[in-house]
């Protein structure tokens, strides 16, 4: 079982034995590669939480979307063997959700965020492939119709203000 916390930790548990296999505290792997807005936000308020954790379709990778800009992809090799794979400075503001996809047998990760965008990344290199714009509010959730990115469903909330 993969778990994320409100203080940025991720944990991996063996459900049958109830044994904690891995506990990783949040850290930026390469701060100098991150955007200046992210670096400034992290200095101003270092608090960060996990918005989403998800396994890749084959279970060899898992992704973590954080409340601040970052998505991290880890590789899982069994037991307590978890390795850093890719770190993506994905969105301005929170990276709210992620999903894995496998179009043309190339593993991708789809992210959405507070910057009102959905982005598609190469899951092994972290290189951005596509950006989808047009939402009128932060995007909080993405879901795929099929693992081939034929259709991406998104969920966002627009706050309506009413005058009296």
């Amino acid at each position: 079982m993969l778990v994320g916390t409100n203080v940025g930790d991720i944990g991996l548990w063996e459900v049958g034995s109830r044994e904690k296999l891995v506990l990783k505290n949040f850290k930026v792997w390469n701060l100098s590669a991150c955007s200046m807005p992210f670096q400034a936000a992290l200095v101003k308020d270092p608090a960060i939480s996990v918005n989403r954790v998800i396994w890749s379709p084959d279970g060899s990778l898992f992704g973590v979307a954080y409340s601040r800009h970052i998505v991290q992809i880890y590789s899982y090799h069994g037991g307590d063997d978890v390795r850093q794979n890719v770190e993506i400075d994905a969105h301005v503001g929170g990276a709210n959700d992620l999903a894995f996809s496998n179009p043309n047998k190339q593993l991708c990760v789809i992210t959405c965020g507070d910057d009102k965008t959905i982005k598609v990344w190469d899951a092994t290199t972290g290189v951005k492939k596509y950006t989808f714009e047009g939402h009128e509010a932060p995007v909080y959730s993405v879901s795929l119709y099929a693992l081939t990115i034929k259709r991406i469903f998104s969920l966002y909330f627009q706050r309506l203000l009413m005058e009296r």
Side-chain angles (χ1 to χ4, degrees), residues 46-59:
I48 198 159
S49 62
V50 173
N51 284 340
R52 174 83 156 135
V53 293
I54 190 168
W55 288 102
S56 67
D58 71 356

Side-chain angles (χ1 to χ4, degrees), residues 3-11 23-31 34 38-39 41-43 45-51 64-74 84 86-89 95:
V3 179
T5 71
N6 67 340
V7 294
D9 298 339
I10 54 172
L23 177 63
K24 292 211 175 269
N25 305 105
F26 173 77
K27 74 174 190 170
V28 178
W29 301 343
N30 185 2
L31 188 60
C34 295
F38 172 68
Q39 291 182 37
L42 199 56
V43 168
D45 181 8
I48 198 159
S49 62
V50 173
N51 284 340
V64 185
Y66 290 98
S67 62
R68 299 279 178 95
H69 301 246
I70 295 287
V71 169
Q72 293 176 336
I73 308 295
Y74 290 86
Q84 298 173 349
V86 175
E87 180 173 66
I88 303 168
D89 188 354

Side-chain angles (χ1 to χ4, degrees), residues 68-142:
R68 299 279 178 95
H69 301 246
I70 295 287
V71 169
Q72 293 176 336
I73 308 295
Y74 290 86
S75 57
Y76 179 63
H77 302 275
D80 64 353
D81 191 1
V82 171
R83 300 175 196 163
Q84 298 173 349
N85 213 38
V86 175
E87 180 173 66
I88 303 168
D89 188 354
H91 294 276
V92 176
N96 296 324
D97 197 5
L98 71 152
F100 283 97
S101 179
N102 204 4
N104 303 319
K105 299 183 181 179
Q106 180 184 9
L107 189 62
C108 294
V109 63
I110 295 96
T111 64
C112 64
D114 288 345
D115 59 4
K116 305 175 188 175
T117 65
I118 296 172
K119 298 179 183 180
V120 178
W121 311 85
D122 182 304
T124 57
T125 65
V127 173
K128 182 171 50 172
K129 298 173 73 64
Y130 308 104
T131 299
F132 298 98
E133 299 176 331
H135 291 88
E136 297 176 7
V139 184
Y140 288 104
S141 183
V142 291

Side-chain angles (χ1 to χ4, degrees), residues 2-22:
L2 189 58
V3 179
T5 71
N6 67 340
V7 294
D9 298 339
I10 54 172
L12 182 60
W13 296 78
E14 172 62 49
V15 176
S17 67
R18 299 180 185 169
E19 176 186 1
K20 182 177 4 177
L21 301 174
V22 176

